[in-house]
Amino acid sequence: PWGVAQLAQLLLPRYVPHADRETLLHIAFYAKVEKLRATDPDPSVTVAFVDLHQNDALIAIEEVPLTFDWQLHYVVIDLKREHVGHSIRPYLYLGRHAGIYAFDEIEYKEIPIEDGMEWIQSAPERIQAHRMASFELSFLDRDGWPIDYGAASVRLVRHDFPFGVSLQTRREAGLSSRDHQWLLRAAAAHFWTGTLQTQLQWSHYEPASCTWP
């Protein structure tokens, strides 16, 4: 709409892996976008990583959907040992859909993969499969016609991922019956799963990872 190429390329600071082992590079950023028309498709940004030491060879690429309000997004890629010491350049490709894009607080974090931590390599796939999803809300008037004007605010109040707390029995806590009931009500108001402290702690039934008594 401003007489420039529709797809823009935003270069982020290059990153050089330092750990002498395979690592996960975690990039986090806040973003929001304002659509030019309510009927426009929902915008997104494509995050790509290239190896500048290998003629800009593509390492990974992921499309991230954006919303009209500030949201924290993150992308995780697996860097092999051959990437150590190389300059890794992240790119943000945006503008496939018209809109006004804003980004802030871009942060890198390197997580070395130690022995016995191979499971973490599949963490990005598990996050995509079990903790992330796309959905669409439609607003209709009393006659069933779609409403494509105005603004709406949506707040997540519950999700399927267990969010819990460790609790104690009244005897373990050393509380009066009244204080213990207050503790249980407070826990129920903020959490929807829980475990009894001591008896069901992780170390009691799995002293070592993947080893049970």
Side-chain angles (χ1 to χ4, degrees), residues 82-103:
E82 56 263 29
H83 295 129
V84 174
H86 289 196
S87 292
I88 308 302
R89 172 78 76 182
Y91 289 89
L92 298 182
Y93 293 98
L94 56 147
R96 185 175 64 175
H97 300 124
I100 302 174
Y101 295 75
F103 299 89

Side-chain angles (χ1 to χ4, degrees), residues 13-189:
R14 64 186 181 91
Y15 188 85
V16 179
H18 298 291
D20 188 22
R21 60 173 64 93
E22 188 174 357
T23 63
L24 294 180
L25 177 59
H26 176 291
I27 180 172
F29 58 90
Y30 282 89
K32 69 175 182 177
V33 63
E34 180 181 344
K35 296 197 292 188
L36 299 184
R37 294 177 297 273
T39 55
D40 287 343
D42 291 332
S44 63
V45 60
T46 299
V47 184
F49 298 83
V50 300
D51 188 342
L52 300 182
H53 281 63
Q54 296 293 331
N55 296 320
D56 291 352
L58 182 64
I59 300 175
I61 189 169
E62 182 175 332
E63 184 175 0
V64 179
L66 303 180
T67 60
F68 70 93
D69 57 346
W70 286 107
Q71 294 287 340
L72 176 62
H73 304 276
Y74 64 91
V75 176
V76 181
I77 66 169
D78 187 3
L79 296 179
K80 307 298 184 182
R81 291 180 65 94
E82 56 263 29
H83 295 129
V84 174
H86 289 196
S87 292
I88 308 302
R89 172 78 76 182
Y91 289 89
L92 298 182
Y93 293 98
L94 56 147
R96 185 175 64 175
H97 300 124
I100 302 174
Y101 295 75
F103 299 89
D104 198 5
E105 296 187 27
I106 298 172
E107 181 183 26
Y108 301 158
K109 184 177 182 180
E110 187 176 342
I111 306 174
I113 299 178
E114 307 287 351
D115 292 339
M117 291 177 57
E118 290 78 8
W119 58 269
I120 203 172
Q121 294 172 271
S122 60
E125 290 77 12
R126 293 198 306 274
I127 291 171
Q128 291 281 351
H130 302 298
R131 299 191 183 183
M132 299 178 66
S134 299
F135 64 93
E136 182 176 300
L137 296 177
S138 298
F139 297 89
L140 308 177
D141 62 19
R142 293 180 179 178
D143 297 323
W145 291 93
I147 300 174
D148 59 357
Y149 56 86
S153 177
V154 179
R155 183 168 63 92
L156 179 68
V157 296
R158 190 177 181 88
H159 54 75
D160 289 337
F161 184 72
F163 186 55
V165 64
S166 178
L167 295 170
Q168 291 179 314
T169 63
R170 186 167 68 88
R171 179 180 298 178
E172 289 175 332
L175 299 174
S176 66
S177 178
R178 178 180 178 181
D179 289 342
H180 191 250
Q181 287 298 316
W182 178 91
L183 176 65
L184 296 180
R185 288 193 300 269

